[in-house]
Amino acid sequence: MAEPSVFERIVAGEIPSTKVFENERVLGIRDIAPKAPVHLLLFPKTGEYANVAELAAGDPALLADIVAIAQQLADEHCGGQYRLVFNTGADAGQTVFHVHAHVLGGGLTEASL
Ligand code: AMP
């Protein structure tokens, strides 16, 4: 068995986090190293999808839920305007291979990726 991802460990309560959203299937937290004034992470509780393409193929409704929740959180935290980023692959900056959306807002710069 693969080691649980950091996000699975957060879901299990083994690592602390600042939660901003939770339902049966999705957790939203504040990024520990924010790249923008608002930097939230949204991910499925299941760690079975490594990236957004796998999630789109395996459970498109769950991906659609994550996009809708991103809008809801952006409405609450940064006036509904935001950047939604799914890094895919190590060369693109992905470090956690448990699909997650970065919700960035509140005054973005070129470095907010
Ligand atoms: P990525 O580089 O796209 O895989 O994004 C992983 C993100 O997870 C980075 O922005 C990290 O700062 C963030 N991160 C890693 N560990 C934690 C943690 N324990 N709590 C909150 N965010 C984390």
Side-chain angles (χ1 to χ4, degrees), residues 1-2 7-8 12 16 18-20 26 29-31 34 40 44 52-53 58 61 80 84 91 93 99 102 105 108 111:
M1 282 264 304
F7 298 148
E8 285 174 289
T18 305
K19 289 182 190 174
V20 293
V26 178
I29 64 171
R30 289 194 187 278
D31 197 291
L40 310 176
V52 68
L84 191 61
D91 287 350
V99 61
H102 296 259
L108 296 174

Side-chain angles (χ1 to χ4, degrees), residues 31 47 55 113:
D31 197 291
L55 178 59
L113 293 173

Side-chain angles (χ1 to χ4, degrees), residues 3-59:
E3 287 285 300
S5 71
V6 62
F7 298 148
E8 285 174 289
R9 297 188 64 202
I10 287 172
V11 168
E14 295 167 11
I15 296 177
S17 67
T18 305
K19 289 182 190 174
V20 293
F21 178 87
E22 183 165 19
N23 71 12
E24 242 178 50
R25 303 188 73 196
V26 178
L27 191 63
I29 64 171
R30 289 194 187 278
D31 197 291
I32 203 169
K35 308 281 193 309
V38 175
H39 188 170
L40 310 176
L41 299 171
L42 273 175
F43 47 85
K45 290 184 173 177
T46 175
E48 68 192 287
Y49 305 110
N51 59 51
V52 68
E54 286 188 14
L55 178 59
D59 194 340

